[in-house]
Amino acid sequence: MTDAASPVCAQCGLPVRVRGPVHPPVFCCYGCALVHDLFAQGKPDSAPPSWWMSRLGLSLFLAMNVMMISMVLYTPQLFPDTDGPLATRVWELLRYAALLFSTPVMLLLGLPILYNAARAGLRGHFGLDALIALGCFAAFALSVHATLTGGHVYYETAVMVLVLVTLGRYLEARAKTSSTEALEKLLRHDPQLTVGQTIRILPGAMFPADGVVVSGTGTVNESMLTGESTPVTKQPGDGVYAGTTNYDGSFDVRITATGAERRIARIARLLEEVRRQKAPSEQFADRLARVLMPVTVLTGVVAGVATGWQAMLAVWLIACPCALGIATPLAIWNAIARAARAGIFIRNGAVLEKLATVRTLFFDKTGTLTEGLPALERIETNEDENTVLQRVASIELRSEHPLARALVVEAQRRGLTLTPPKQVEIVPGRGIRADGWTVGSAEFVGTSGPGVFAARNGTVCARFFFREQLRPDWSAVWPQLQPYRVEVLTGDDRAAAERLGLPVPVHANLSPEQKVQHIEAAAATGTVAMVGDGLNDAPAIARACIGIALATGTDVTRETADVTFADNQLTKLPWLLALARQTRRVIRQNLFWACLYNVTLIPVAALGWLNPILAALAMVLSSALVVTNAQRLRSWNPTAASPRAVVAQAGD
């Protein structure tokens, strides 16, 4: 966990190690400093200014000329009379020409890196930029000395490293910036409400913020708060909450807490935490780089004394841990960006890595596994069932109450023709009257007992019983979750839960404290995830190793969760778990390649078997491989969704 007070990179937001006072802006590397200068406010969708492209283009042109001159200088045996006075003069002129072409490159591309390295050094941090600057300017200085006194020159090493590293760093930093583009777009479009503002909530709408009912009466679905599926009647003076749904009333609500504002602040904090926090494998890479740098610098000095300056330069170039430094963060950022485009917001990289190790999943019932809307279970009547249902459902076409909708859905399923009455009287929270029929609560109809009653001309003729129904996508999700231990925690009664016929253990009548106890017991045996949407789920979500909240969840639940879905599609859960496992796989591949590259080539360079320019090219190619591998996550999709494929993935 990074101290919030520690300085962070002005471009990518990653923490920057400092010592002493800091004068912003601070950058973690030259690539971030470059992108920050090139793009307005760090936006990757704006084009680089023409002056920078001209500078890079000129440097590339000059560097290629230096390379051509160097090829001639390195192969004098291909030309006749190499020892004659004319040839000697030509070689001297070529060395001066290489100096002439190299100097602008050192000024255009070398000085910015040297400046950034020096600024970091003043803060007590000698990292990658310092090694690059050391290697390039040492090669340039030795070449200038050789030009004046005679000997081998290495101008091509200095300039090509600067060109390749500048371009590579630019691409790396741009990739880090664009990885958060999907998250940043979410902050640009969000409605704003202010405390004290009065808004009208129509039937069927969701309350956008917490507030108090000023006028109006109706029923509200608060299952995400209480875990109970039964709607609650609201009257003036009652509180309403963000995320709850207005069924049949028309309310004037005075805003007491701006849920939209908190939502924006929450997403902004998620984005900032994604930028600042480092995952375990990334911390491992940082520790490895801190050990690798002084060792390779010393190795380079020893190689230089024993073998020559060329070996020292090659060692220092190989030592640049570009690939190691970006192996984990790029994979995590690309995976988080991919999840954001799918409507899944992950708090930080550590959460993503823990998701790959989940073995136990707990679900809330109401609003998470169920639709939150009831379905007609049975009808008690002494008359023809379809005739009564047809008439009652026709009347309920005028109502937005969830039980009314359940009656209409069942009538339509049976193929009954519905004709809405011309005039109705709706009493929000109680029932409806039309054409001599009264449909509603027992008190409204004039009787007693559970269920919804229908009376014709004052005589009760039917009673309707309802039940919850599972989400339609649960049948597709459940086979993909069979490799995991899956259980349900609900505050609802056991009978309601058992009627759903869930193929997993169900723990009913639980208080929030009891849900936490179940989570703690399971967490002792492995990584546990809790999926919920209600306020009563928030403590369990907070206690679980990974807390996952659905879009209908309360502000507290979403604030507590490590992962938030922008919608309520349960099919995204297996997709998310597969993405986490794929990200872990990519991270391991990147770290393996980065370590193999450094461990293999540093000894080769130390023995003098690796030319500095080849070392520079190998360094850039290594980084390009890591970047390309990580970029695959931005367009990742599972290749197979069968239970067998999921089992195989869960076991890797």
Side-chain angles (χ1 to χ4, degrees), residues 85 93 127 156 189 284 444 645:
L93 289 176
E156 80 289 344
H189 306 286
F284 165 77
F444 184 65

Side-chain angles (χ1 to χ4, degrees), residues 38-40 43-50 53 170 174:
L38 290 181
F39 300 104
K43 295 294 187 296
D45 52 356
S46 58
S50 58
M53 296 303 295
Y170 159 73
R174 182 184 177 102

Side-chain angles (χ1 to χ4, degrees), residues 34 48 68 92 122 150 156 164 177 218 292 304 507 537 557 601 636:
L34 181 64
M68 293 175 63
E92 183 179 355
L122 292 176
E156 80 289 344
L164 295 175
T177 302
L292 183 64
H507 307 276
D537 301 322
T557 306
L601 292 187
W636 177 85

Side-chain angles (χ1 to χ4, degrees), residues 322-354:
C322 295
L324 183 63
I326 63 175
T328 296
L330 270 186
I332 288 177
W333 282 59
N334 281 298
I336 288 176
R338 178 66 186 94
R341 291 202 308 275
I344 303 173
F345 309 115
I346 303 173
R347 186 174 292 275
N348 54 56
V351 169
L352 188 62
E353 290 202 61
K354 284 193 292 185

Side-chain angles (χ1 to χ4, degrees), residues 26 126 159 176 193 195 201 278 392 441 486 640:
V26 178
F126 295 95
V159 297
K176 287 197 294 185
L193 298 173
V195 175
I201 305 297
K278 293 190 176 184
V392 170
S441 64
V486 179

Side-chain angles (χ1 to χ4, degrees), residues 216-232:
T217 303
T219 52
V220 176
N221 178 7
E222 292 188 342
S223 59
M224 70 288 300
L225 295 176
T226 63
E228 297 286 347
S229 57
T230 305
V232 179

Side-chain angles (χ1 to χ4, degrees), residues 79-311:
F79 301 91
D81 194 23
T82 56
D83 297 328
L86 179 60
T88 302
R89 187 61 177 170
V90 170
W91 304 140
E92 183 179 355
L93 289 176
L94 288 176
R95 284 195 292 267
Y96 275 101
L99 170 60
L100 178 65
F101 288 134
S102 300
T103 301
V105 179
M106 300 302 297
L107 296 175
L108 292 174
L109 301 183
L111 285 182
I113 294 181
L114 180 62
Y115 170 75
N116 198 68
R119 188 166 58 174
L122 292 176
R123 300 193 305 266
H125 177 59
F126 295 95
L128 182 59
D129 289 336
L131 286 176
I132 293 174
L134 175 63
C136 291
F137 279 93
F140 183 75
L142 289 173
S143 299
V144 171
H145 181 268
T147 299
L148 299 176
T149 62
H152 294 291
V153 295
Y154 304 102
Y155 289 117
E156 80 289 344
T157 299
V159 297
M160 287 307 297
V161 166
L162 289 176
V163 169
L164 295 175
V165 168
T166 299
L167 183 60
R169 284 296 196 83
Y170 159 73
L171 294 175
E172 293 166 12
R174 182 184 177 102
K176 287 197 294 185
T177 302
S178 61
S179 294
T180 57
E181 182 180 4
L183 292 176
E184 289 177 338
K185 285 182 179 179
L186 297 172
L187 303 178
R188 303 173 190 170
H189 306 286
D190 199 87
Q192 294 289 325
L193 298 173
T194 58
V195 175
Q197 178 183 356
T198 300
I199 60 175
R200 173 67 60 86
I201 305 297
L202 299 176
M206 181 179 292
F207 291 92
D210 297 351
V212 174
V213 176
V214 177
S215 63
T217 303
T219 52
V220 176
N221 178 7
E222 292 188 342
S223 59
M224 70 288 300
L225 295 176
T226 63
E228 297 286 347
S229 57
T230 305
V232 179
T233 301
K234 296 291 184 179
Q235 300 176 347
D238 292 340
V240 291
Y241 306 97
T244 59
T245 304
N246 173 22
Y247 278 147
D248 57 5
S250 181
F251 296 101
D252 287 331
V253 177
R254 184 177 70 255
I255 302 300
T256 59
T258 52
E261 181 179 347
R262 288 199 301 274
R263 186 160 58 250
I264 290 176
R266 171 185 169 274
I267 296 176
R269 286 196 296 273
L270 287 179
L271 179 61
E272 194 65 21
E273 289 179 1
V274 166
R275 288 177 167 178
R276 293 189 179 191
Q277 292 191 10
K278 293 190 176 184
S281 58
E282 189 175 355
Q283 294 171 359
F284 165 77
D286 286 344
R287 292 193 299 268
L288 183 59
R290 287 197 295 269
V291 173
L292 183 64
M293 288 181 186
V295 170
T296 51
V297 169
L298 180 61
T299 302
V301 173
V302 174
V305 173
T307 309
W309 291 108
Q310 187 174 3

Side-chain angles (χ1 to χ4, degrees), residues 224-226 364 511-513 515-516 519 530-544 546-549 553-562:
M224 70 288 300
L225 295 176
T226 63
D364 171 51
S511 65
E513 293 79 9
K515 288 186 177 182
V516 170
I519 295 292
M530 172 69 187
V531 186
D533 69 335
L535 183 61
N536 60 336
D537 301 322
I541 287 176
R543 180 62 185 86
I546 300 292
I548 302 174
T554 63
D555 285 347
V556 173
T557 306
R558 294 194 300 267
E559 288 283 353
T560 303
D562 300 298

